[in-house]
Amino acid sequence: MVIISNWVHIFVTAVGALVTALAVSHTTNRADYSAIIKEYRSEKDEYKKAYLETFNKYMVAEKQIVELKEQVKKLKKKLEEYQK
């Protein structure tokens, strides 16, 4: 029974050492993760800025289309008046 207890103790100690080594290696790579996250955030901000610029241009174009359609309607009415 003592032999089994010793082997269990050795096995648990080995697993604990392995888990500790993995935890230490994971925390040392955090700087890399934070750099990657910062890069992705800046890239996301660039895409968002480009999208908003494109959306604003689209909205300006939509307003111009509405204004031009109104002008076309007015000119059609004037043309009909002159043809009478």
Side-chain angles (χ1 to χ4, degrees):
M1 189 71 168
V2 173
I3 295 172
I4 295 173
S5 174
N6 287 340
W7 279 108
V8 169
H9 181 68
I10 290 170
F11 179 72
V12 168
T13 304
V15 169
L18 180 65
V19 169
T20 302
L22 288 174
V24 169
S25 69
H26 176 71
T27 57
T28 57
N29 289 336
R30 273 194 188 215
D32 297 336
Y33 291 141
S34 65
I36 291 171
I37 290 171
K38 285 180 184 176
E39 181 181 337
Y40 283 145
R41 283 184 179 162
S42 66
E43 189 174 321
K44 180 190 81 165
D45 291 341
E46 290 174 10
Y47 283 130
K48 184 176 181 180
K49 183 179 176 182
Y51 169 77
L52 289 175
E53 288 175 358
T54 304
F55 182 74
N56 289 336
K57 288 179 184 178
Y58 172 78
M59 293 306 292
V60 168
E62 283 289 320
K63 287 180 183 178
Q64 289 177 347
I65 288 172
V66 170
E67 291 172 0
L68 290 173
K69 283 183 179 179
E70 289 175 3
Q71 287 180 1
V72 166
K73 285 180 183 178
K74 289 179 183 178
L75 291 173
K76 279 184 181 179
K77 286 182 183 178
K78 284 186 180 179
L79 180 64
E80 288 175 2
E81 288 176 8
Y82 286 129
Q83 288 178 351
K84 287 183 183 179

Coordinates of all heavy atoms in Angstrom, one line a residue:
M1 N 0.8 -1.2 0.0 CA 0.0 0.0 0.0 C 0.9 1.3 0.0 O 0.5 2.2 -0.6 CB -0.9 -0.1 1.2 CG -1.9 1.0 1.2 SD -3.1 0.6 0.0 CE -4.4 1.7 0.4
V2 N 2.0 1.2 0.7 CA 2.9 2.3 0.8 C 3.5 2.6 -0.6 O 3.6 3.8 -1.0 CB 4.0 2.1 1.8 CG1 5.0 3.2 1.8 CG2 3.3 2.0 3.2
I3 N 3.8 1.6 -1.3 CA 4.4 1.7 -2.7 C 3.4 2.4 -3.6 O 3.8 3.3 -4.4 CB 4.8 0.3 -3.2 CG1 5.9 -0.3 -2.4 CG2 5.2 0.5 -4.7 CD1 6.2 -1.7 -2.8
I4 N 2.1 2.0 -3.6 CA 1.1 2.7 -4.4 C 1.0 4.2 -4.0 O 0.9 5.0 -4.9 CB -0.2 1.9 -4.3 CG1 -0.1 0.5 -4.9 CG2 -1.3 2.7 -5.0 CD1 -1.3 -0.3 -4.6
S5 N 1.0 4.4 -2.7 CA 0.9 5.8 -2.2 C 2.0 6.6 -2.7 O 1.9 7.8 -3.1 CB 0.8 5.8 -0.7 OG 0.8 7.1 -0.2
N6 N 3.2 6.0 -2.7 CA 4.4 6.8 -3.2 C 4.3 7.0 -4.7 O 4.7 8.1 -5.1 CB 5.7 6.0 -2.9 CG 6.1 6.0 -1.4 OD1 5.6 6.9 -0.7 ND2 6.8 5.0 -1.0
W7 N 3.9 6.1 -5.4 CA 3.7 6.3 -6.9 C 2.7 7.3 -7.2 O 2.8 8.1 -8.1 CB 3.4 5.0 -7.6 CG 4.6 4.1 -7.8 CD1 4.9 3.0 -7.2 CD2 5.6 4.4 -8.7 NE1 6.1 2.5 -7.6 CE2 6.6 3.3 -8.6 CE3 5.9 5.4 -9.6 CZ2 7.7 3.2 -9.3 CZ3 7.1 5.3 -10.4 CH2 8.0 4.2 -10.2
V8 N 1.6 7.3 -6.5 CA 0.6 8.4 -6.7 C 1.1 9.7 -6.3 O 0.9 10.7 -7.0 CB -0.7 8.1 -5.8 CG1 -1.6 9.3 -5.8 CG2 -1.4 6.8 -6.3
H9 N 1.9 9.8 -5.2 CA 2.5 11.1 -4.8 C 3.5 11.5 -5.9 O 3.5 12.7 -6.3 CB 3.3 10.9 -3.5 CG 3.9 12.1 -3.0 ND1 3.2 13.2 -2.6 CD2 5.2 12.5 -2.9 CE1 4.0 14.2 -2.2 NE2 5.2 13.8 -2.4
I10 N 4.3 10.7 -6.5 CA 5.2 11.0 -7.6 C 4.5 11.5 -8.8 O 4.8 12.4 -9.5 CB 6.2 9.8 -7.9 CG1 7.1 9.6 -6.7 CG2 7.0 10.0 -9.2 CD1 7.9 8.3 -6.8
F11 N 3.4 10.7 -9.2 CA 2.6 11.1 -10.3 C 2.0 12.5 -10.2 O 2.0 13.3 -11.1 CB 1.6 10.0 -10.6 CG 0.7 10.3 -11.8 CD1 1.1 10.2 -13.0 CD2 -0.6 10.7 -11.6 CE1 0.3 10.5 -14.1 CE2 -1.5 11.0 -12.6 CZ -1.0 10.9 -13.9
V12 N 1.4 12.7 -9.0 CA 0.8 14.0 -8.8 C 1.8 15.2 -8.8 O 1.6 16.2 -9.3 CB 0.0 14.0 -7.4 CG1 -0.4 15.4 -7.0 CG2 -1.2 13.1 -7.5
T13 N 3.0 14.9 -8.2 CA 4.0 15.9 -8.3 C 4.5 16.2 -9.7 O 4.7 17.4 -10.1 CB 5.2 15.4 -7.4 OG1 4.8 15.1 -6.1 CG2 6.3 16.5 -7.3
A14 N 4.6 15.2 -10.5 CA 5.0 15.4 -11.9 C 4.0 16.1 -12.7 O 4.3 17.1 -13.5 CB 5.3 14.0 -12.6
V15 N 2.7 15.8 -12.5 CA 1.6 16.6 -13.1 C 1.6 18.0 -12.7 O 1.5 18.9 -13.5 CB 0.3 15.9 -12.9 CG1 -0.9 16.8 -13.3 CG2 0.2 14.5 -13.6
G16 N 1.8 18.2 -11.4 CA 1.9 19.6 -10.9 C 3.0 20.4 -11.5 O 2.9 21.6 -11.8
A17 N 4.2 19.7 -11.6 CA 5.3 20.4 -12.2 C 5.1 20.8 -13.7 O 5.4 21.8 -14.2 CB 6.6 19.5 -12.1
L18 N 4.4 19.8 -14.4 CA 4.1 20.1 -15.8 C 3.1 21.2 -15.9 O 3.2 22.1 -16.8 CB 3.5 18.8 -16.4 CG 3.1 18.9 -17.9 CD1 4.3 19.1 -18.8 CD2 2.3 17.7 -18.3
V19 N 2.1 21.3 -15.1 CA 1.1 22.3 -15.1 C 1.7 23.7 -14.8 O 1.4 24.7 -15.4 CB -0.1 22.0 -14.2 CG1 -1.0 23.2 -14.0 CG2 -0.9 20.8 -14.7
T20 N 2.6 23.7 -13.8 CA 3.3 24.9 -13.5 C 4.2 25.4 -14.6 O 4.2 26.6 -14.9 CB 4.2 24.7 -12.2 OG1 3.4 24.2 -11.2 CG2 4.9 25.9 -11.8
A21 N 4.9 24.5 -15.3 CA 5.7 24.9 -16.5 C 4.8 25.5 -17.6 O 5.2 26.5 -18.2 CB 6.5 23.7 -17.0
L22 N 3.6 24.9 -17.8 CA 2.7 25.4 -18.8 C 2.2 26.8 -18.4 O 2.1 27.7 -19.3 CB 1.6 24.4 -19.1 CG 1.9 23.2 -19.8 CD1 0.7 22.2 -19.8 CD2 2.4 23.5 -21.2
A23 N 1.9 27.0 -17.2 CA 1.4 28.3 -16.7 C 2.4 29.3 -16.8 O 2.1 30.5 -17.3 CB 0.9 28.1 -15.2
V24 N 3.7 29.0 -16.5 CA 4.7 30.0 -16.6 C 5.0 30.3 -18.1 O 5.1 31.5 -18.5 CB 6.0 29.5 -16.0 CG1 7.2 30.3 -16.3 CG2 5.9 29.4 -14.5
S25 N 5.0 29.3 -19.0 CA 5.2 29.6 -20.4 C 4.0 30.4 -21.0 O 4.2 31.3 -21.8 CB 5.4 28.4 -21.2 OG 4.2 27.6 -21.2
H26 N 2.8 30.2 -20.5 CA 1.7 31.0 -21.0 C 1.8 32.4 -20.6 O 1.5 33.3 -21.4 CB 0.4 30.4 -20.4 CG -0.8 31.1 -20.8 ND1 -1.3 31.1 -22.1 CD2 -1.7 31.9 -20.1 CE1 -2.4 31.9 -22.1 NE2 -2.6 32.4 -20.9
T27 N 2.2 32.7 -19.3 CA 2.3 34.1 -18.9 C 3.4 34.8 -19.6 O 3.3 36.0 -19.7 CB 2.4 34.2 -17.4 OG1 3.6 33.5 -17.0 CG2 1.2 33.7 -16.7
T28 N 4.5 34.1 -20.0 CA 5.6 34.8 -20.7 C 5.2 35.2 -22.1 O 5.8 36.1 -22.6 CB 6.8 33.9 -20.7 OG1 6.5 32.7 -21.3 CG2 7.4 33.7 -19.3
N29 N 4.2 34.5 -22.7 CA 3.8 34.9 -24.0 C 2.7 36.0 -24.0 O 2.2 36.3 -25.1 CB 3.2 33.6 -24.7 CG 4.3 32.7 -25.1 OD1 5.5 33.0 -25.2 ND2 4.0 31.4 -25.2
R30 N 2.3 36.5 -22.9 CA 1.3 37.5 -22.9 C 1.7 38.8 -23.6 O 0.8 39.4 -24.2 CB 0.9 37.8 -21.4 CG -0.1 36.9 -20.9 CD -0.7 37.5 -19.7 NE -1.6 36.4 -19.2 CZ -2.7 36.6 -18.6 NH1 -3.1 37.8 -18.3 NH2 -3.4 35.6 -18.3
A31 N 2.9 39.1 -23.6 CA 3.4 40.3 -24.3 C 3.1 40.2 -25.7 O 2.7 41.1 -26.4 CB 4.8 40.6 -24.0
D32 N 3.3 39.0 -26.3 CA 3.1 38.7 -27.7 C 1.6 38.9 -28.0 O 1.2 39.4 -29.0 CB 3.6 37.3 -28.1 CG 5.1 37.2 -27.9 OD1 5.8 38.3 -28.0 OD2 5.5 36.1 -27.7
Y33 N 0.8 38.3 -27.1 CA -0.7 38.4 -27.3 C -1.2 39.8 -27.3 O -2.0 40.2 -28.1 CB -1.4 37.6 -26.2 CG -1.3 36.1 -26.3 CD1 -1.1 35.3 -25.2 CD2 -1.2 35.4 -27.6 CE1 -1.0 33.9 -25.3 CE2 -1.1 34.1 -27.7 CZ -1.0 33.3 -26.5 OH -0.8 32.0 -26.6
S34 N -0.7 40.6 -26.3 CA -1.1 42.0 -26.2 C -0.7 42.8 -27.5 O -1.4 43.6 -28.0 CB -0.6 42.7 -25.0 OG 0.8 42.7 -25.0
A35 N 0.5 42.5 -28.0 CA 0.9 43.2 -29.2 C 0.0 42.8 -30.4 O -0.4 43.6 -31.2 CB 2.4 42.8 -29.6
I36 N -0.3 41.5 -30.5 CA -1.2 41.1 -31.6 C -2.6 41.7 -31.4 O -3.2 42.2 -32.4 CB -1.3 39.6 -31.6 CG1 0.0 38.9 -32.0 CG2 -2.5 39.1 -32.5 CD1 0.1 37.4 -31.8
I37 N -3.1 41.8 -30.2 CA -4.4 42.4 -30.0 C -4.4 43.9 -30.3 O -5.3 44.4 -31.0 CB -4.8 42.2 -28.5 CG1 -5.2 40.7 -28.3 CG2 -6.0 43.1 -28.1 CD1 -5.4 40.3 -26.8
K38 N -3.3 44.6 -30.0 CA -3.2 46.0 -30.3 C -3.2 46.2 -31.8 O -3.8 47.1 -32.4 CB -1.9 46.6 -29.7 CG -2.0 46.9 -28.2 CD -0.8 47.5 -27.7 CE -0.8 47.6 -26.2 NZ 0.5 48.1 -25.7
E39 N -2.5 45.3 -32.5 CA -2.4 45.4 -34.0 C -3.8 45.2 -34.6 O -4.2 45.9 -35.5 CB -1.4 44.3 -34.5 CG -1.3 44.3 -36.0 CD -0.3 43.3 -36.5 OE1 0.5 42.8 -35.7 OE2 -0.4 42.9 -37.7
Y40 N -4.5 44.2 -34.1 CA -5.9 43.9 -34.6 C -6.8 45.0 -34.3 O -7.7 45.4 -35.2 CB -6.4 42.6 -34.1 CG -5.8 41.3 -34.7 CD1 -5.6 40.2 -33.9 CD2 -5.5 41.3 -36.0 CE1 -5.1 39.1 -34.5 CE2 -5.0 40.2 -36.6 CZ -4.8 39.1 -35.8 OH -4.3 37.9 -36.4
R41 N -6.7 45.6 -33.2 CA -7.6 46.8 -32.8 C -7.3 48.0 -33.7 O -8.2 48.6 -34.2 CB -7.4 47.2 -31.4 CG -8.1 46.2 -30.4 CD -8.0 46.7 -29.0 NE -8.7 45.8 -28.1 CZ -8.5 45.7 -26.8 NH1 -7.6 46.5 -26.3 NH2 -9.2 44.8 -26.1
S42 N -6.0 48.2 -34.0 CA -5.7 49.4 -34.9 C -6.2 49.1 -36.3 O -6.7 49.9 -37.0 CB -4.2 49.7 -34.9 OG -3.5 48.6 -35.5
E43 N -6.1 47.8 -36.7 CA -6.6 47.4 -38.1 C -8.1 47.6 -38.1 O -8.6 48.0 -39.1 CB -6.1 46.0 -38.4 CG -6.4 45.5 -39.8 CD -5.8 44.2 -40.0 OE1 -4.7 43.9 -39.5 OE2 -6.5 43.4 -40.7
K44 N -8.8 47.2 -37.0 CA -10.2 47.3 -37.0 C -10.6 48.8 -37.0 O -11.6 49.1 -37.7 CB -10.7 46.7 -35.7 CG -12.2 46.8 -35.5 CD -12.6 46.4 -34.1 CE -12.4 47.5 -33.2 NZ -13.1 47.5 -31.9
D45 N -9.9 49.6 -36.3 CA -10.2 51.0 -36.4 C -10.0 51.6 -37.8 O -10.8 52.5 -38.2 CB -9.3 51.8 -35.4 CG -9.6 51.5 -33.9 OD1 -10.7 51.0 -33.7 OD2 -8.8 51.7 -33.0
E46 N -9.0 51.2 -38.5 CA -8.8 51.6 -39.9 C -9.9 51.2 -40.7 O -10.4 52.0 -41.6 CB -7.5 51.1 -40.4 CG -6.2 51.7 -39.8 CD -4.9 51.0 -40.2 OE1 -5.0 50.2 -41.2 OE2 -3.9 51.3 -39.6
Y47 N -10.4 49.9 -40.6 CA -11.5 49.5 -41.4 C -12.8 50.2 -41.1 O -13.6 50.6 -41.9 CB -11.7 48.0 -41.2 CG -10.8 47.1 -41.9 CD1 -10.1 46.1 -41.3 CD2 -10.5 47.3 -43.3 CE1 -9.2 45.3 -42.0 CE2 -9.6 46.5 -44.0 CZ -9.0 45.5 -43.3 OH -8.1 44.7 -44.0
K48 N -13.0 50.5 -39.8 CA -14.2 51.3 -39.4 C -14.1 52.7 -39.9 O -15.1 53.2 -40.4 CB -14.2 51.3 -37.8 CG -15.4 52.0 -37.3 CD -15.4 51.9 -35.8 CE -16.7 52.5 -35.2 NZ -16.7 52.4 -33.7
K49 N -13.0 53.3 -39.9 CA -12.8 54.6 -40.5 C -13.1 54.6 -42.0 O -13.8 55.5 -42.5 CB -11.4 55.2 -40.2 CG -11.2 56.6 -40.6 CD -9.8 57.0 -40.3 CE -9.5 58.4 -40.9 NZ -8.1 58.8 -40.6
A50 N -12.6 53.7 -42.7 CA -12.8 53.6 -44.1 C -14.3 53.3 -44.4 O -14.8 53.9 -45.3 CB -11.9 52.5 -44.7
Y51 N -14.9 52.5 -43.6 CA -16.3 52.2 -43.8 C -17.2 53.5 -43.6 O -18.1 53.8 -44.3 CB -16.8 51.1 -42.8 CG -18.3 51.0 -42.8 CD1 -19.0 50.4 -43.8 CD2 -19.0 51.5 -41.7 CE1 -20.4 50.3 -43.8 CE2 -20.4 51.4 -41.7 CZ -21.1 50.8 -42.7 OH -22.4 50.7 -42.7
L52 N -16.9 54.2 -42.5 CA -17.6 55.4 -42.2 C -17.4 56.5 -43.3 O -18.4 57.2 -43.7 CB -17.2 56.0 -40.8 CG -17.7 55.2 -39.6 CD1 -17.1 55.8 -38.4 CD2 -19.2 55.1 -39.6
E53 N -16.2 56.6 -43.8 CA -16.0 57.5 -44.9 C -16.8 57.1 -46.2 O -17.4 58.0 -46.8 CB -14.5 57.6 -45.3 CG -13.6 58.3 -44.3 CD -12.2 58.2 -44.6 OE1 -11.8 57.6 -45.6 OE2 -11.4 58.8 -43.8
T54 N -16.8 55.8 -46.5 CA -17.6 55.4 -47.6 C -19.1 55.6 -47.4 O -19.8 56.0 -48.3 CB -17.3 53.9 -47.8 OG1 -15.9 53.7 -48.0 CG2 -18.0 53.3 -49.1
F55 N -19.5 55.3 -46.2 CA -20.9 55.5 -45.8 C -21.3 57.0 -46.0 O -22.4 57.3 -46.5 CB -21.2 55.0 -44.4 CG -22.7 55.1 -44.0 CD1 -23.6 54.2 -44.6 CD2 -23.1 56.1 -43.1 CE1 -24.9 54.3 -44.2 CE2 -24.4 56.2 -42.8 CZ -25.3 55.3 -43.3
N56 N -20.5 57.9 -45.5 CA -20.8 59.3 -45.6 C -20.8 59.7 -47.1 O -21.7 60.5 -47.4 CB -19.7 60.1 -44.9 CG -19.9 60.0 -43.4 OD1 -20.9 59.7 -42.9 ND2 -18.8 60.2 -42.6
K57 N -19.9 59.2 -47.9 CA -20.0 59.5 -49.3 C -21.3 59.0 -49.9 O -21.9 59.7 -50.8 CB -18.8 58.9 -50.1 CG -17.5 59.6 -49.8 CD -16.4 58.9 -50.5 CE -15.0 59.5 -50.2 NZ -13.9 58.8 -50.9
Y58 N -21.7 57.8 -49.5 CA -23.0 57.2 -50.0 C -24.1 58.1 -49.6 O -25.0 58.3 -50.4 CB -23.1 55.8 -49.4 CG -24.4 55.2 -49.7 CD1 -24.7 54.7 -50.9 CD2 -25.4 55.1 -48.7 CE1 -26.0 54.1 -51.2 CE2 -26.6 54.6 -48.9 CZ -26.9 54.0 -50.2 OH -28.1 53.5 -50.4
M59 N -24.2 58.6 -48.4 CA -25.3 59.4 -47.9 C -25.3 60.7 -48.7 O -26.4 61.2 -49.0 CB -25.1 59.7 -46.4 CG -25.3 58.5 -45.5 SD -26.9 57.6 -45.9 CE -28.1 58.7 -45.3
V60 N -24.2 61.3 -49.0 CA -24.1 62.6 -49.8 C -24.6 62.3 -51.2 O -25.4 63.1 -51.7 CB -22.7 63.1 -49.8 CG1 -22.5 64.2 -50.9 CG2 -22.2 63.6 -48.4
A61 N -24.3 61.2 -51.7 CA -24.7 60.8 -53.1 C -26.2 60.6 -53.1 O -26.9 61.0 -54.0 CB -24.0 59.5 -53.6
E62 N -26.8 60.0 -52.0 CA -28.2 59.8 -51.9 C -29.0 61.1 -51.9 O -30.0 61.3 -52.5 CB -28.6 59.0 -50.7 CG -28.3 57.5 -50.8 CD -29.3 56.8 -51.7 OE1 -30.5 57.1 -51.7 OE2 -28.8 55.9 -52.5
K63 N -28.4 62.1 -51.1 CA -29.0 63.4 -51.0 C -29.0 64.1 -52.4 O -30.0 64.7 -52.8 CB -28.3 64.3 -50.0 CG -28.6 63.9 -48.6 CD -27.9 64.8 -47.6 CE -28.1 64.3 -46.2 NZ -27.3 65.2 -45.2
Q64 N -27.9 63.9 -53.1 CA -27.8 64.6 -54.4 C -28.8 63.9 -55.4 O -29.4 64.6 -56.2 CB -26.4 64.4 -55.0 CG -25.4 65.3 -54.2 CD -23.9 65.1 -54.7 OE1 -23.7 64.1 -55.4 NE2 -23.0 66.0 -54.4
I65 N -29.0 62.6 -55.3 CA -29.9 62.0 -56.1 C -31.3 62.5 -55.9 O -32.1 62.8 -56.8 CB -29.9 60.4 -55.9 CG1 -28.6 59.9 -56.5 CG2 -31.1 59.7 -56.5 CD1 -28.3 58.4 -56.2
V66 N -31.7 62.6 -54.6 CA -33.0 63.1 -54.3 C -33.2 64.6 -54.8 O -34.2 64.9 -55.4 CB -33.3 63.1 -52.8 CG1 -34.5 63.8 -52.4 CG2 -33.3 61.7 -52.3
E67 N -32.2 65.4 -54.7 CA -32.2 66.8 -55.2 C -32.4 66.8 -56.7 O -33.1 67.6 -57.2 CB -31.0 67.6 -54.7 CG -31.0 67.8 -53.2 CD -29.6 68.4 -52.8 OE1 -28.8 68.6 -53.7 OE2 -29.5 68.7 -51.6
L68 N -31.6 66.0 -57.4 CA -31.7 65.9 -58.8 C -33.0 65.4 -59.3 O -33.5 65.9 -60.3 CB -30.5 65.1 -59.4 CG -29.1 65.7 -59.2 CD1 -28.1 64.6 -59.7 CD2 -29.0 66.9 -60.0
K69 N -33.6 64.5 -58.6 CA -34.9 64.0 -59.0 C -36.0 65.1 -58.9 O -36.8 65.2 -59.7 CB -35.3 62.8 -58.2 CG -34.6 61.5 -58.6 CD -35.1 60.3 -57.8 CE -34.4 59.0 -58.2 NZ -34.9 57.9 -57.4
E70 N -35.8 65.9 -57.8 CA -36.8 67.0 -57.6 C -36.6 68.0 -58.7 O -37.5 68.6 -59.3 CB -36.5 67.7 -56.3 CG -37.0 66.8 -55.1 CD -36.6 67.5 -53.8 OE1 -36.1 68.6 -53.8 OE2 -36.9 66.8 -52.7
Q71 N -35.3 68.3 -59.1 CA -35.1 69.3 -60.2 C -35.6 68.7 -61.5 O -36.2 69.5 -62.3 CB -33.6 69.5 -60.4 CG -33.0 70.4 -59.3 CD -31.5 70.6 -59.4 OE1 -30.9 70.1 -60.4 NE2 -30.9 71.3 -58.5
V72 N -35.5 67.4 -61.7 CA -36.1 66.8 -63.0 C -37.6 67.0 -63.0 O -38.2 67.4 -64.0 CB -35.6 65.4 -63.1 CG1 -36.4 64.6 -64.2 CG2 -34.1 65.2 -63.4
K73 N -38.2 66.8 -61.9 CA -39.7 67.0 -61.8 C -40.1 68.4 -62.1 O -41.0 68.7 -62.9 CB -40.2 66.6 -60.4 CG -40.2 65.1 -60.2 CD -40.8 64.8 -58.8 CE -40.7 63.3 -58.5 NZ -41.2 63.0 -57.2
K74 N -39.3 69.4 -61.6 CA -39.6 70.8 -61.8 C -39.4 71.1 -63.3 O -40.2 71.8 -63.9 CB -38.7 71.7 -60.9 CG -39.1 71.6 -59.5 CD -38.2 72.5 -58.7 CE -38.5 72.4 -57.2 NZ -37.5 73.2 -56.4
L75 N -38.3 70.6 -63.8 CA -38.1 70.9 -65.2 C -39.1 70.2 -66.2 O -39.5 70.8 -67.2 CB -36.7 70.5 -65.6 CG -35.5 71.3 -65.0 CD1 -34.2 70.7 -65.3 CD2 -35.6 72.7 -65.5
K76 N -39.6 69.1 -65.8 CA -40.6 68.4 -66.6 C -41.9 69.3 -66.6 O -42.6 69.4 -67.6 CB -40.9 67.0 -66.1 CG -39.9 66.0 -66.5 CD -40.3 64.6 -66.1 CE -39.4 63.6 -66.5 NZ -39.7 62.2 -66.0
K77 N -42.2 69.8 -65.4 CA -43.4 70.6 -65.3 C -43.3 71.9 -66.1 O -44.2 72.3 -66.8 CB -43.7 71.0 -63.8 CG -44.2 69.9 -63.0 CD -44.5 70.4 -61.6 CE -45.0 69.2 -60.7 NZ -45.2 69.6 -59.3
K78 N -42.1 72.5 -66.1 CA -41.8 73.7 -66.9 C -41.9 73.4 -68.4 O -42.5 74.2 -69.2 CB -40.5 74.3 -66.6 CG -40.4 75.1 -65.3 CD -39.1 75.7 -65.1 CE -39.0 76.5 -63.8 NZ -37.7 77.1 -63.6
L79 N -41.4 72.3 -68.8 CA -41.4 71.8 -70.2 C -42.9 71.6 -70.6 O -43.3 72.0 -71.7 CB -40.6 70.6 -70.4 CG -40.6 70.0 -71.8 CD1 -39.9 71.0 -72.7 CD2 -39.9 68.7 -71.8
E80 N -43.7 71.0 -69.8 CA -45.1 70.8 -70.1 C -45.8 72.1 -70.3 O -46.7 72.3 -71.1 CB -45.8 69.9 -69.1 CG -45.3 68.5 -69.1 CD -45.9 67.7 -67.9 OE1 -46.7 68.2 -67.1 OE2 -45.6 66.5 -67.8
E81 N -45.5 73.1 -69.4 CA -46.1 74.4 -69.5 C -45.7 75.1 -70.8 O -46.6 75.8 -71.4 CB -45.7 75.3 -68.3 CG -46.3 74.8 -67.0 CD -45.8 75.7 -65.8 OE1 -45.1 76.7 -66.0 OE2 -46.1 75.3 -64.6
Y82 N -44.5 75.0 -71.2 CA -44.1 75.7 -72.4 C -44.6 75.0 -73.6 O -44.9 75.7 -74.7 CB -42.5 75.7 -72.5 CG -41.9 76.7 -71.6 CD1 -40.8 76.3 -70.7 CD2 -42.3 78.0 -71.5 CE1 -40.2 77.2 -69.9 CE2 -41.7 78.9 -70.7 CZ -40.6 78.5 -69.9 OH -40.0 79.3 -69.0
Q83 N -44.9 73.7 -73.6 CA -45.4 73.0 -74.7 C -46.9 73.3 -74.9 O -47.4 73.2 -76.0 CB -45.2 71.5 -74.6 CG -43.8 71.1 -74.8 CD -43.6 69.6 -74.6 OE1 -44.5 68.9 -74.2 NE2 -42.4 69.1 -74.9
K84 N -47.6 73.8 -73.9 CA -49.0 74.1 -74.0 C -49.2 75.3 -74.8 O -49.0 76.1 -75.4 CB -49.7 74.2 -72.6 CG -49.8 72.9 -71.9 CD -50.5 73.1 -70.6 CE -50.6 71.9 -69.8 NZ -51.3 72.0 -68.6

